[in-house]
Amino acid sequence: MEHRPAGSSQTPRLVAGYATGRARPATRTALASMLNPAVSLVVLPIRLRPGSPEYQPIWYRRSQRLLPAGTQVCPVDNGTDGTLDNFGHGCADAALSLAADVLPAAGPLLIVAFDTPFHGLPSLLPGPVCRRTVLVPRSTAELHDPADTARRDWEARGMHDLVAAGGRVAAISAHMRAHLRDTYRIPAAALAELRDGLTPAERRHLSRPAGPGSMPAAAGSHGFMLAMGRAQPYKGFHDLLDALSILRRQAVAVPHLLLAAVTEDRRPSPYQRGLARSIAGHGLD
């Protein structure tokens, strides 16, 4: 961020736009511990309906506790139902919120926009603001739904408008860096490193050494693949099970599957029970 000019009445601001999910606590933890007190933090989370499958009251309260005191929170409408229209609506609302609630009082500025609902935001920002923006893709249309060319073109347009204005696209892994470079044609000079991962508190739960029998025998002897994510139909777990069943009928050797379709509930959800029935029905281990 730029140095604030002497005598300026405008406040340096860091704006963080967050999609749904649990993958952003490390960033919030870093902000809470490292942000200069002179910098005002503004958070633009996606507003969720209580009935939405993405809505998690427990995680919402935890997220609130991670924010530094004095954080300005400006919820952004829509953007969570997975359609291009909703993503576009969420970006438009975010741009309006920035124009009305952030930019008039902002001095030096940095905008960090996380994940799919904000991929089109750079196309709606003025050039000088776009130049102070970092887009952080955690997934893309090409990875999630290659047949959705409209969404892929929308994402590419947002990224290219950002790069043309002098902004940056962050790579959360070596794989994503190669994907953004090769598929979305993002120049290497416009890619910034921003590794995605666990917080120190989460890593403490991984410190115990794995004991005997901690992995299924098939996984230990033949290797395994891990499928992990929120237990919702759009994550494609049933498609994965169908594919494994087809491959097995064709006598194709595949690694053992470790399936972690998760919720925060104490009991299996109807969707998780459906996955268990599908595993049994296919005769999969």
Side-chain angles (χ1 to χ4, degrees), residues 15-20 24 43-47 74-80 86-95 97-98 111-125 133-137 154-155 158-159 162:
V15 181
Y18 289 102
T20 60
R24 265 62 67 181
V43 176
L44 274 64
I46 295 293
R47 180 184 286 114
C74 304
V76 174
D77 277 334
N78 218 323
T80 63
N86 285 345
F87 292 154
H89 182 89
C91 287
D93 195 53
S97 182
L98 288 170
I111 298 174
V112 186
F114 288 85
D115 222 348
T116 300
F118 294 104
H119 284 174
L121 179 62
S123 300
L124 304 177
L125 299 177
T133 298
V134 179
L135 193 63
V136 188
W154 174 78
E155 291 177 341
M159 294 182 197
L162 176 71

mmCIF file of all heavy atoms in Angstrom, residues 15-20 24 43-47 74-80 86-95 97-98 111-125 133-137 154-155 158-159 162:
data_model
loop_
_atom_site.group_PDB
_atom_site.id
_atom_site.type_symbol
_atom_site.label_atom_id
_atom_site.label_comp_id
_atom_site.label_asym_id
_atom_site.label_seq_id
_atom_site.Cartn_x
_atom_site.Cartn_y
_atom_site.Cartn_z
ATOM 1 N N VAL A 15 -9.637 -3.416 1.375
ATOM 2 C CA VAL A 15 -10.971 -3.965 1.144
ATOM 3 C C VAL A 15 -10.830 -5.431 0.783
ATOM 4 O O VAL A 15 -10.098 -5.786 -0.147
ATOM 5 C CB VAL A 15 -11.693 -3.208 0.007
ATOM 6 C CG1 VAL A 15 -13.088 -3.781 -0.200
ATOM 7 C CG2 VAL A 15 -11.769 -1.721 0.330
ATOM 8 N N ALA A 16 -11.516 -6.307 1.510
ATOM 9 C CA ALA A 16 -11.477 -7.746 1.244
ATOM 10 C C ALA A 16 -12.876 -8.216 0.895
ATOM 11 O O ALA A 16 -13.793 -8.104 1.713
ATOM 12 C CB ALA A 16 -10.951 -8.503 2.465
ATOM 13 N N GLY A 17 -13.048 -8.712 -0.324
ATOM 14 C CA GLY A 17 -14.326 -9.276 -0.746
ATOM 15 C C GLY A 17 -14.266 -10.784 -0.640
ATOM 16 O O GLY A 17 -13.389 -11.421 -1.219
ATOM 17 N N TYR A 18 -15.190 -11.363 0.126
ATOM 18 C CA TYR A 18 -15.152 -12.800 0.399
ATOM 19 C C TYR A 18 -16.365 -13.499 -0.173
ATOM 20 O O TYR A 18 -17.500 -13.064 0.033
ATOM 21 C CB TYR A 18 -15.132 -13.068 1.913
ATOM 22 C CG TYR A 18 -13.835 -12.705 2.568
ATOM 23 C CD1 TYR A 18 -13.705 -11.531 3.297
ATOM 24 C CD2 TYR A 18 -12.731 -13.533 2.449
ATOM 25 C CE1 TYR A 18 -12.503 -11.197 3.902
ATOM 26 C CE2 TYR A 18 -11.528 -13.205 3.052
ATOM 27 C CZ TYR A 18 -11.421 -12.035 3.782
ATOM 28 O OH TYR A 18 -10.247 -11.704 4.376
ATOM 29 N N ALA A 19 -16.124 -14.624 -0.865
ATOM 30 C CA ALA A 19 -17.214 -15.524 -1.218
ATOM 31 C C ALA A 19 -17.538 -16.379 -0.005
ATOM 32 O O ALA A 19 -17.011 -16.185 1.082
ATOM 33 C CB ALA A 19 -16.822 -16.393 -2.407
ATOM 34 N N THR A 20 -18.440 -17.358 -0.178
ATOM 35 C CA THR A 20 -18.828 -18.202 0.936
ATOM 36 C C THR A 20 -17.764 -19.263 1.189
ATOM 37 O O THR A 20 -16.804 -19.396 0.445
ATOM 38 C CB THR A 20 -20.160 -18.890 0.635
ATOM 39 O OG1 THR A 20 -19.988 -19.687 -0.552
ATOM 40 C CG2 THR A 20 -21.250 -17.872 0.395
ATOM 41 N N ARG A 24 -11.110 -18.999 3.912
ATOM 42 C CA ARG A 24 -10.473 -17.700 4.090
ATOM 43 C C ARG A 24 -10.019 -17.375 5.507
ATOM 44 O O ARG A 24 -9.591 -16.261 5.772
ATOM 45 C CB ARG A 24 -11.434 -16.596 3.629
ATOM 46 C CG ARG A 24 -11.242 -16.146 2.205
ATOM 47 C CD ARG A 24 -11.464 -17.193 1.184
ATOM 48 N NE ARG A 24 -12.857 -17.587 1.147
ATOM 49 C CZ ARG A 24 -13.331 -18.521 0.346
ATOM 50 N NH1 ARG A 24 -12.528 -19.178 -0.435
ATOM 51 N NH2 ARG A 24 -14.602 -18.834 0.351
ATOM 52 N N VAL A 43 -14.721 -5.188 4.832
ATOM 53 C CA VAL A 43 -15.005 -6.549 4.376
ATOM 54 C C VAL A 43 -16.339 -6.560 3.633
ATOM 55 O O VAL A 43 -17.344 -6.055 4.136
ATOM 56 C CB VAL A 43 -15.041 -7.539 5.561
ATOM 57 C CG1 VAL A 43 -15.442 -8.931 5.085
ATOM 58 C CG2 VAL A 43 -13.683 -7.581 6.244
ATOM 59 N N LEU A 44 -16.316 -7.124 2.434
ATOM 60 C CA LEU A 44 -17.519 -7.267 1.624
ATOM 61 C C LEU A 44 -17.854 -8.756 1.506
ATOM 62 O O LEU A 44 -17.445 -9.426 0.560
ATOM 63 C CB LEU A 44 -17.322 -6.672 0.231
ATOM 64 C CG LEU A 44 -17.575 -5.171 0.036
ATOM 65 C CD1 LEU A 44 -16.588 -4.351 0.852
ATOM 66 C CD2 LEU A 44 -17.461 -4.801 -1.440
ATOM 67 N N PRO A 45 -18.576 -9.322 2.482
ATOM 68 C CA PRO A 45 -18.942 -10.742 2.390
ATOM 69 C C PRO A 45 -20.199 -10.905 1.542
ATOM 70 O O PRO A 45 -21.010 -9.988 1.423
ATOM 71 C CB PRO A 45 -19.210 -11.117 3.844
ATOM 72 C CG PRO A 45 -19.752 -9.853 4.446
ATOM 73 C CD PRO A 45 -19.052 -8.710 3.738
ATOM 74 N N ILE A 46 -20.348 -12.094 0.954
ATOM 75 C CA ILE A 46 -21.586 -12.415 0.257
ATOM 76 C C ILE A 46 -22.690 -12.606 1.290
ATOM 77 O O ILE A 46 -22.546 -13.384 2.230
ATOM 78 C CB ILE A 46 -21.428 -13.691 -0.584
ATOM 79 C CG1 ILE A 46 -20.403 -13.469 -1.702
ATOM 80 C CG2 ILE A 46 -22.759 -14.134 -1.168
ATOM 81 C CD1 ILE A 46 -20.822 -12.491 -2.757
ATOM 82 N N ARG A 47 -23.795 -11.878 1.119
ATOM 83 C CA ARG A 47 -24.920 -12.019 2.037
ATOM 84 C C ARG A 47 -25.640 -13.331 1.752
ATOM 85 O O ARG A 47 -25.955 -13.656 0.607
ATOM 86 C CB ARG A 47 -25.898 -10.854 1.866
ATOM 87 C CG ARG A 47 -27.105 -10.931 2.790
ATOM 88 C CD ARG A 47 -28.093 -9.817 2.507
ATOM 89 N NE ARG A 47 -27.613 -8.533 2.993
ATOM 90 C CZ ARG A 47 -27.289 -7.500 2.214
ATOM 91 N NH1 ARG A 47 -27.368 -7.621 0.895
ATOM 92 N NH2 ARG A 47 -26.871 -6.370 2.732
ATOM 93 N N CYS A 74 -19.723 -4.632 4.811
ATOM 94 C CA CYS A 74 -20.718 -4.222 3.814
ATOM 95 C C CYS A 74 -21.151 -5.469 3.029
ATOM 96 O O CYS A 74 -20.525 -5.813 2.023
ATOM 97 C CB CYS A 74 -20.151 -3.178 2.855
ATOM 98 S SG CYS A 74 -19.497 -1.700 3.647
ATOM 99 N N PRO A 75 -22.187 -6.193 3.478
ATOM 100 C CA PRO A 75 -22.602 -7.409 2.772
ATOM 101 C C PRO A 75 -23.015 -7.125 1.333
ATOM 102 O O PRO A 75 -23.596 -6.083 1.029
ATOM 103 C CB PRO A 75 -23.790 -7.912 3.598
ATOM 104 C CG PRO A 75 -23.613 -7.289 4.946
ATOM 105 C CD PRO A 75 -22.988 -5.948 4.675
ATOM 106 N N VAL A 76 -22.693 -8.062 0.460
ATOM 107 C CA VAL A 76 -22.970 -7.951 -0.972
ATOM 108 C C VAL A 76 -24.103 -8.912 -1.329
ATOM 109 O O VAL A 76 -24.087 -10.075 -0.935
ATOM 110 C CB VAL A 76 -21.713 -8.292 -1.798
ATOM 111 C CG1 VAL A 76 -22.026 -8.316 -3.285
ATOM 112 C CG2 VAL A 76 -20.612 -7.284 -1.501
ATOM 113 N N ASP A 77 -25.079 -8.425 -2.066
ATOM 114 C CA ASP A 77 -26.225 -9.253 -2.416
ATOM 115 C C ASP A 77 -25.866 -10.324 -3.426
ATOM 116 O O ASP A 77 -25.095 -10.090 -4.353
ATOM 117 C CB ASP A 77 -27.355 -8.391 -3.000
ATOM 118 C CG ASP A 77 -28.195 -7.753 -1.912
ATOM 119 O OD1 ASP A 77 -28.255 -8.320 -0.813
ATOM 120 O OD2 ASP A 77 -28.796 -6.683 -2.165
ATOM 121 N N ASN A 78 -26.508 -11.499 -3.229
ATOM 122 C CA ASN A 78 -26.510 -12.573 -4.219
ATOM 123 C C ASN A 78 -25.111 -13.125 -4.493
ATOM 124 O O ASN A 78 -24.194 -12.917 -3.721
ATOM 125 C CB ASN A 78 -27.163 -12.078 -5.522
ATOM 126 C CG ASN A 78 -28.007 -13.153 -6.166
ATOM 127 O OD1 ASN A 78 -27.652 -14.312 -6.127
ATOM 128 N ND2 ASN A 78 -29.127 -12.763 -6.733
ATOM 129 N N GLY A 79 -24.961 -13.866 -5.587
ATOM 130 C CA GLY A 79 -23.662 -14.389 -5.964
ATOM 131 C C GLY A 79 -23.386 -15.804 -5.523
ATOM 132 O O GLY A 79 -22.330 -16.340 -5.809
ATOM 133 N N THR A 80 -24.337 -16.467 -4.831
ATOM 134 C CA THR A 80 -24.007 -17.778 -4.264
ATOM 135 C C THR A 80 -24.715 -18.954 -4.922
ATOM 136 O O THR A 80 -24.447 -20.091 -4.557
ATOM 137 C CB THR A 80 -24.359 -17.812 -2.765
ATOM 138 O OG1 THR A 80 -25.773 -17.632 -2.608
ATOM 139 C CG2 THR A 80 -23.629 -16.730 -2.021
ATOM 140 N N ASN A 86 -26.288 -14.588 -11.254
ATOM 141 C CA ASN A 86 -26.090 -14.264 -9.842
ATOM 142 C C ASN A 86 -24.687 -13.741 -9.574
ATOM 143 O O ASN A 86 -24.502 -12.806 -8.783
ATOM 144 C CB ASN A 86 -26.351 -15.500 -8.981
ATOM 145 C CG ASN A 86 -27.828 -15.807 -8.856
ATOM 146 O OD1 ASN A 86 -28.665 -14.981 -9.168
ATOM 147 N ND2 ASN A 86 -28.145 -16.999 -8.420
ATOM 148 N N PHE A 87 -23.694 -14.330 -10.226
ATOM 149 C CA PHE A 87 -22.331 -13.811 -10.073
ATOM 150 C C PHE A 87 -22.261 -12.362 -10.561
ATOM 151 O O PHE A 87 -21.647 -11.503 -9.920
ATOM 152 C CB PHE A 87 -21.342 -14.662 -10.862
ATOM 153 C CG PHE A 87 -21.157 -16.055 -10.327
ATOM 154 C CD1 PHE A 87 -20.757 -17.075 -11.158
ATOM 155 C CD2 PHE A 87 -21.373 -16.342 -8.988
ATOM 156 C CE1 PHE A 87 -20.575 -18.362 -10.679
ATOM 157 C CE2 PHE A 87 -21.202 -17.626 -8.489
ATOM 158 C CZ PHE A 87 -20.807 -18.641 -9.348
ATOM 159 N N GLY A 88 -22.882 -12.101 -11.716
ATOM 160 C CA GLY A 88 -22.882 -10.741 -12.245
ATOM 161 C C GLY A 88 -23.582 -9.771 -11.323
ATOM 162 O O GLY A 88 -23.134 -8.629 -11.132
ATOM 163 N N HIS A 89 -24.703 -10.213 -10.734
ATOM 164 C CA HIS A 89 -25.422 -9.349 -9.794
ATOM 165 C C HIS A 89 -24.567 -9.053 -8.574
ATOM 166 O O HIS A 89 -24.522 -7.913 -8.098
ATOM 167 C CB HIS A 89 -26.729 -10.026 -9.364
ATOM 168 C CG HIS A 89 -27.558 -9.210 -8.436
ATOM 169 N ND1 HIS A 89 -28.506 -8.307 -8.873
ATOM 170 C CD2 HIS A 89 -27.576 -9.137 -7.078
ATOM 171 C CE1 HIS A 89 -29.074 -7.727 -7.831
ATOM 172 N NE2 HIS A 89 -28.530 -8.214 -6.724
ATOM 173 N N GLY A 90 -23.870 -10.080 -8.061
ATOM 174 C CA GLY A 90 -23.015 -9.861 -6.900
ATOM 175 C C GLY A 90 -21.888 -8.888 -7.185
ATOM 176 O O GLY A 90 -21.562 -8.028 -6.362
ATOM 177 N N CYS A 91 -21.282 -8.989 -8.372
ATOM 178 C CA CYS A 91 -20.209 -8.054 -8.748
ATOM 179 C C CYS A 91 -20.733 -6.633 -8.872
ATOM 180 O O CYS A 91 -20.084 -5.673 -8.441
ATOM 181 C CB CYS A 91 -19.567 -8.503 -10.062
ATOM 182 S SG CYS A 91 -18.512 -9.950 -9.916
ATOM 183 N N ALA A 92 -21.915 -6.502 -9.470
ATOM 184 C CA ALA A 92 -22.500 -5.160 -9.631
ATOM 185 C C ALA A 92 -22.790 -4.543 -8.271
ATOM 186 O O ALA A 92 -22.534 -3.346 -8.051
ATOM 187 C CB ALA A 92 -23.772 -5.253 -10.469
ATOM 188 N N ASP A 93 -23.309 -5.338 -7.338
ATOM 189 C CA ASP A 93 -23.596 -4.813 -6.007
ATOM 190 C C ASP A 93 -22.309 -4.456 -5.269
ATOM 191 O O ASP A 93 -22.249 -3.458 -4.539
ATOM 192 C CB ASP A 93 -24.403 -5.832 -5.216
ATOM 193 C CG ASP A 93 -25.054 -5.223 -3.981
ATOM 194 O OD1 ASP A 93 -25.752 -4.206 -4.115
ATOM 195 O OD2 ASP A 93 -24.841 -5.759 -2.868
ATOM 196 N N ALA A 94 -21.260 -5.270 -5.461
ATOM 197 C CA ALA A 94 -19.975 -4.962 -4.834
ATOM 198 C C ALA A 94 -19.404 -3.656 -5.379
ATOM 199 O O ALA A 94 -18.872 -2.830 -4.620
ATOM 200 C CB ALA A 94 -18.993 -6.108 -5.064
ATOM 201 N N ALA A 95 -19.506 -3.451 -6.693
ATOM 202 C CA ALA A 95 -19.003 -2.214 -7.294
ATOM 203 C C ALA A 95 -19.771 -1.003 -6.766
ATOM 204 O O ALA A 95 -19.170 0.047 -6.484
ATOM 205 C CB ALA A 95 -19.118 -2.294 -8.817
ATOM 206 N N SER A 97 -21.273 -0.817 -3.836
ATOM 207 C CA SER A 97 -20.896 -0.640 -2.439
ATOM 208 C C SER A 97 -19.539 0.057 -2.322
ATOM 209 O O SER A 97 -19.347 0.940 -1.477
ATOM 210 C CB SER A 97 -20.859 -1.998 -1.740
ATOM 211 O OG SER A 97 -20.546 -1.851 -0.363
ATOM 212 N N LEU A 98 -18.605 -0.331 -3.173
ATOM 213 C CA LEU A 98 -17.303 0.330 -3.171
ATOM 214 C C LEU A 98 -17.449 1.814 -3.497
ATOM 215 O O LEU A 98 -16.841 2.676 -2.836
ATOM 216 C CB LEU A 98 -16.376 -0.345 -4.179
ATOM 217 C CG LEU A 98 -15.854 -1.731 -3.803
ATOM 218 C CD1 LEU A 98 -15.164 -2.373 -5.002
ATOM 219 C CD2 LEU A 98 -14.887 -1.644 -2.621
ATOM 220 N N ILE A 111 -7.614 -3.531 -2.843
ATOM 221 C CA ILE A 111 -8.798 -4.387 -2.867
ATOM 222 C C ILE A 111 -8.348 -5.811 -3.155
ATOM 223 O O ILE A 111 -7.632 -6.056 -4.125
ATOM 224 C CB ILE A 111 -9.803 -3.931 -3.945
ATOM 225 C CG1 ILE A 111 -10.303 -2.517 -3.640
ATOM 226 C CG2 ILE A 111 -10.982 -4.900 -4.047
ATOM 227 C CD1 ILE A 111 -11.187 -1.940 -4.739
ATOM 228 N N VAL A 112 -8.755 -6.750 -2.308
ATOM 229 C CA VAL A 112 -8.454 -8.166 -2.506
ATOM 230 C C VAL A 112 -9.793 -8.885 -2.656
ATOM 231 O O VAL A 112 -10.581 -8.934 -1.704
ATOM 232 C CB VAL A 112 -7.649 -8.760 -1.337
ATOM 233 C CG1 VAL A 112 -7.245 -10.195 -1.659
ATOM 234 C CG2 VAL A 112 -6.423 -7.918 -1.047
ATOM 235 N N ALA A 113 -10.053 -9.429 -3.844
ATOM 236 C CA ALA A 113 -11.341 -10.050 -4.145
ATOM 237 C C ALA A 113 -11.160 -11.558 -4.260
ATOM 238 O O ALA A 113 -10.447 -12.031 -5.147
ATOM 239 C CB ALA A 113 -11.915 -9.478 -5.440
ATOM 240 N N PHE A 114 -11.803 -12.301 -3.361
ATOM 241 C CA PHE A 114 -11.604 -13.735 -3.261
ATOM 242 C C PHE A 114 -12.699 -14.510 -3.992
ATOM 243 O O PHE A 114 -13.880 -14.356 -3.709
ATOM 244 C CB PHE A 114 -11.600 -14.186 -1.793
ATOM 245 C CG PHE A 114 -10.376 -13.788 -1.028
ATOM 246 C CD1 PHE A 114 -10.295 -12.539 -0.437
ATOM 247 C CD2 PHE A 114 -9.303 -14.650 -0.906
ATOM 248 C CE1 PHE A 114 -9.170 -12.161 0.277
ATOM 249 C CE2 PHE A 114 -8.167 -14.279 -0.195
ATOM 250 C CZ PHE A 114 -8.097 -13.035 0.403
ATOM 251 N N ASP A 115 -12.295 -15.335 -4.933
ATOM 252 C CA ASP A 115 -13.085 -16.430 -5.467
ATOM 253 C C ASP A 115 -14.115 -16.018 -6.522
ATOM 254 O O ASP A 115 -14.270 -14.862 -6.875
ATOM 255 C CB ASP A 115 -13.732 -17.227 -4.351
ATOM 256 C CG ASP A 115 -13.674 -18.727 -4.591
ATOM 257 O OD1 ASP A 115 -13.332 -19.153 -5.708
ATOM 258 O OD2 ASP A 115 -13.970 -19.483 -3.660
ATOM 259 N N THR A 116 -14.824 -17.031 -7.006
ATOM 260 C CA THR A 116 -15.628 -16.954 -8.220
ATOM 261 C C THR A 116 -16.620 -15.805 -8.267
ATOM 262 O O THR A 116 -16.724 -15.132 -9.301
ATOM 263 C CB THR A 116 -16.363 -18.300 -8.433
ATOM 264 O OG1 THR A 116 -15.382 -19.336 -8.559
ATOM 265 C CG2 THR A 116 -17.231 -18.261 -9.666
ATOM 266 N N PRO A 117 -17.406 -15.532 -7.208
ATOM 267 C CA PRO A 117 -18.404 -14.469 -7.344
ATOM 268 C C PRO A 117 -17.833 -13.106 -7.691
ATOM 269 O O PRO A 117 -18.572 -12.230 -8.139
ATOM 270 C CB PRO A 117 -19.071 -14.458 -5.953
ATOM 271 C CG PRO A 117 -18.923 -15.849 -5.461
ATOM 272 C CD PRO A 117 -17.562 -16.275 -5.935
ATOM 273 N N PHE A 118 -16.513 -12.903 -7.508
ATOM 274 C CA PHE A 118 -15.909 -11.605 -7.785
ATOM 275 C C PHE A 118 -15.052 -11.594 -9.049
ATOM 276 O O PHE A 118 -14.382 -10.589 -9.326
ATOM 277 C CB PHE A 118 -15.061 -11.156 -6.590
ATOM 278 C CG PHE A 118 -15.867 -10.880 -5.351
ATOM 279 C CD1 PHE A 118 -15.881 -11.791 -4.303
ATOM 280 C CD2 PHE A 118 -16.625 -9.734 -5.240
ATOM 281 C CE1 PHE A 118 -16.633 -11.556 -3.168
ATOM 282 C CE2 PHE A 118 -17.378 -9.473 -4.100
ATOM 283 C CZ PHE A 118 -17.388 -10.395 -3.059
ATOM 284 N N HIS A 119 -15.067 -12.661 -9.833
ATOM 285 C CA HIS A 119 -14.207 -12.700 -11.016
ATOM 286 C C HIS A 119 -14.539 -11.608 -12.024
ATOM 287 O O HIS A 119 -13.676 -11.189 -12.789
ATOM 288 C CB HIS A 119 -14.307 -14.071 -11.695
ATOM 289 C CG HIS A 119 -13.562 -15.140 -10.972
ATOM 290 N ND1 HIS A 119 -13.605 -16.471 -11.337
ATOM 291 C CD2 HIS A 119 -12.739 -15.094 -9.882
ATOM 292 C CE1 HIS A 119 -12.853 -17.183 -10.521
ATOM 293 N NE2 HIS A 119 -12.322 -16.370 -9.625
ATOM 294 N N GLY A 120 -15.790 -11.158 -12.045
ATOM 295 C CA GLY A 120 -16.168 -10.111 -12.991
ATOM 296 C C GLY A 120 -16.062 -8.707 -12.431
ATOM 297 O O GLY A 120 -16.338 -7.733 -13.151
ATOM 298 N N LEU A 121 -15.665 -8.568 -11.180
ATOM 299 C CA LEU A 121 -15.615 -7.242 -10.547
ATOM 300 C C LEU A 121 -14.677 -6.266 -11.254
ATOM 301 O O LEU A 121 -15.026 -5.096 -11.425
ATOM 302 C CB LEU A 121 -15.222 -7.393 -9.074
ATOM 303 C CG LEU A 121 -15.096 -6.099 -8.266
ATOM 304 C CD1 LEU A 121 -16.432 -5.362 -8.217
ATOM 305 C CD2 LEU A 121 -14.588 -6.401 -6.842
ATOM 306 N N PRO A 122 -13.473 -6.686 -11.685
ATOM 307 C CA PRO A 122 -12.568 -5.705 -12.305
ATOM 308 C C PRO A 122 -13.184 -4.993 -13.510
ATOM 309 O O PRO A 122 -12.853 -3.827 -13.758
ATOM 310 C CB PRO A 122 -11.367 -6.563 -12.724
ATOM 311 C CG PRO A 122 -11.364 -7.701 -11.762
ATOM 312 C CD PRO A 122 -12.815 -8.005 -11.533
ATOM 313 N N SER A 123 -14.051 -5.642 -14.244
ATOM 314 C CA SER A 123 -14.659 -5.012 -15.417
ATOM 315 C C SER A 123 -15.580 -3.871 -15.039
ATOM 316 O O SER A 123 -15.945 -3.055 -15.905
ATOM 317 C CB SER A 123 -15.450 -6.060 -16.216
ATOM 318 O OG SER A 123 -14.613 -7.105 -16.665
ATOM 319 N N LEU A 124 -15.967 -3.786 -13.753
ATOM 320 C CA LEU A 124 -16.907 -2.757 -13.304
ATOM 321 C C LEU A 124 -16.221 -1.647 -12.514
ATOM 322 O O LEU A 124 -16.889 -0.729 -12.044
ATOM 323 C CB LEU A 124 -17.997 -3.402 -12.433
ATOM 324 C CG LEU A 124 -18.775 -4.551 -13.082
ATOM 325 C CD1 LEU A 124 -19.761 -5.151 -12.087
ATOM 326 C CD2 LEU A 124 -19.505 -4.075 -14.326
ATOM 327 N N LEU A 125 -14.905 -1.718 -12.366
ATOM 328 C CA LEU A 125 -14.183 -0.740 -11.563
ATOM 329 C C LEU A 125 -13.465 0.279 -12.446
ATOM 330 O O LEU A 125 -12.986 -0.067 -13.528
ATOM 331 C CB LEU A 125 -13.148 -1.440 -10.676
ATOM 332 C CG LEU A 125 -13.680 -2.441 -9.654
ATOM 333 C CD1 LEU A 125 -12.520 -3.095 -8.900
ATOM 334 C CD2 LEU A 125 -14.635 -1.775 -8.674
ATOM 335 N N THR A 133 -6.233 -3.509 -7.304
ATOM 336 C CA THR A 133 -7.051 -4.690 -7.018
ATOM 337 C C THR A 133 -6.260 -5.971 -7.281
ATOM 338 O O THR A 133 -5.518 -6.062 -8.258
ATOM 339 C CB THR A 133 -8.328 -4.683 -7.875
ATOM 340 O OG1 THR A 133 -9.112 -3.521 -7.551
ATOM 341 C CG2 THR A 133 -9.170 -5.936 -7.631
ATOM 342 N N VAL A 134 -6.425 -6.943 -6.387
ATOM 343 C CA VAL A 134 -5.870 -8.283 -6.567
ATOM 344 C C VAL A 134 -7.036 -9.265 -6.577
ATOM 345 O O VAL A 134 -7.856 -9.277 -5.649
ATOM 346 C CB VAL A 134 -4.890 -8.661 -5.435
ATOM 347 C CG1 VAL A 134 -4.353 -10.077 -5.639
ATOM 348 C CG2 VAL A 134 -3.749 -7.661 -5.371
ATOM 349 N N LEU A 135 -7.125 -10.067 -7.609
ATOM 350 C CA LEU A 135 -8.161 -11.088 -7.724
ATOM 351 C C LEU A 135 -7.560 -12.432 -7.314
ATOM 352 O O LEU A 135 -6.464 -12.788 -7.765
ATOM 353 C CB LEU A 135 -8.670 -11.148 -9.163
ATOM 354 C CG LEU A 135 -9.952 -11.933 -9.439
ATOM 355 C CD1 LEU A 135 -11.132 -11.307 -8.708
ATOM 356 C CD2 LEU A 135 -10.229 -11.969 -10.938
ATOM 357 N N VAL A 136 -8.271 -13.176 -6.465
ATOM 358 C CA VAL A 136 -7.748 -14.440 -5.935
ATOM 359 C C VAL A 136 -8.678 -15.585 -6.350
ATOM 360 O O VAL A 136 -9.592 -15.947 -5.616
ATOM 361 C CB VAL A 136 -7.614 -14.395 -4.404
ATOM 362 C CG1 VAL A 136 -6.872 -15.642 -3.897
ATOM 363 C CG2 VAL A 136 -6.894 -13.131 -3.954
ATOM 364 N N PRO A 137 -8.471 -16.189 -7.520
ATOM 365 C CA PRO A 137 -9.317 -17.318 -7.929
ATOM 366 C C PRO A 137 -8.944 -18.594 -7.168
ATOM 367 O O PRO A 137 -7.785 -18.970 -7.101
ATOM 368 C CB PRO A 137 -9.004 -17.486 -9.430
ATOM 369 C CG PRO A 137 -8.223 -16.259 -9.817
ATOM 370 C CD PRO A 137 -7.526 -15.805 -8.573
ATOM 371 N N TRP A 154 -16.705 -14.766 -19.252
ATOM 372 C CA TRP A 154 -16.932 -13.690 -18.273
ATOM 373 C C TRP A 154 -15.750 -13.585 -17.315
ATOM 374 O O TRP A 154 -15.262 -12.486 -17.029
ATOM 375 C CB TRP A 154 -18.227 -13.984 -17.521
ATOM 376 C CG TRP A 154 -18.543 -13.071 -16.388
ATOM 377 C CD1 TRP A 154 -19.062 -11.817 -16.454
ATOM 378 C CD2 TRP A 154 -18.396 -13.365 -14.984
ATOM 379 N NE1 TRP A 154 -19.245 -11.304 -15.177
ATOM 380 C CE2 TRP A 154 -18.846 -12.233 -14.268
ATOM 381 C CE3 TRP A 154 -17.941 -14.484 -14.274
ATOM 382 C CZ2 TRP A 154 -18.836 -12.188 -12.875
ATOM 383 C CZ3 TRP A 154 -17.937 -14.433 -12.888
ATOM 384 C CH2 TRP A 154 -18.383 -13.297 -12.198
ATOM 385 N N GLU A 155 -15.273 -14.725 -16.839
ATOM 386 C CA GLU A 155 -14.114 -14.728 -15.950
ATOM 387 C C GLU A 155 -12.871 -14.187 -16.655
ATOM 388 O O GLU A 155 -12.135 -13.355 -16.097
ATOM 389 C CB GLU A 155 -13.833 -16.151 -15.463
ATOM 390 C CG GLU A 155 -14.872 -16.711 -14.526
ATOM 391 C CD GLU A 155 -14.583 -18.146 -14.140
ATOM 392 O OE1 GLU A 155 -13.803 -18.814 -14.849
ATOM 393 O OE2 GLU A 155 -15.133 -18.594 -13.116
ATOM 394 N N GLY A 158 -12.964 -10.430 -17.038
ATOM 395 C CA GLY A 158 -12.651 -9.737 -15.790
ATOM 396 C C GLY A 158 -11.162 -9.760 -15.487
ATOM 397 O O GLY A 158 -10.573 -8.746 -15.098
ATOM 398 N N MET A 159 -10.533 -10.928 -15.672
ATOM 399 C CA MET A 159 -9.096 -11.035 -15.388
ATOM 400 C C MET A 159 -8.279 -10.180 -16.353
ATOM 401 O O MET A 159 -7.314 -9.509 -15.948
ATOM 402 C CB MET A 159 -8.657 -12.495 -15.473
ATOM 403 C CG MET A 159 -9.247 -13.393 -14.403
ATOM 404 S SD MET A 159 -8.619 -15.092 -14.548
ATOM 405 C CE MET A 159 -9.824 -15.976 -13.550
ATOM 406 N N LEU A 162 -8.542 -6.569 -15.552
ATOM 407 C CA LEU A 162 -7.721 -6.284 -14.380
ATOM 408 C C LEU A 162 -6.257 -6.128 -14.770
ATOM 409 O O LEU A 162 -5.588 -5.157 -14.376
ATOM 410 C CB LEU A 162 -7.883 -7.424 -13.369
ATOM 411 C CG LEU A 162 -7.024 -7.350 -12.104
ATOM 412 C CD1 LEU A 162 -7.521 -6.239 -11.201
ATOM 413 C CD2 LEU A 162 -7.036 -8.684 -11.363
#
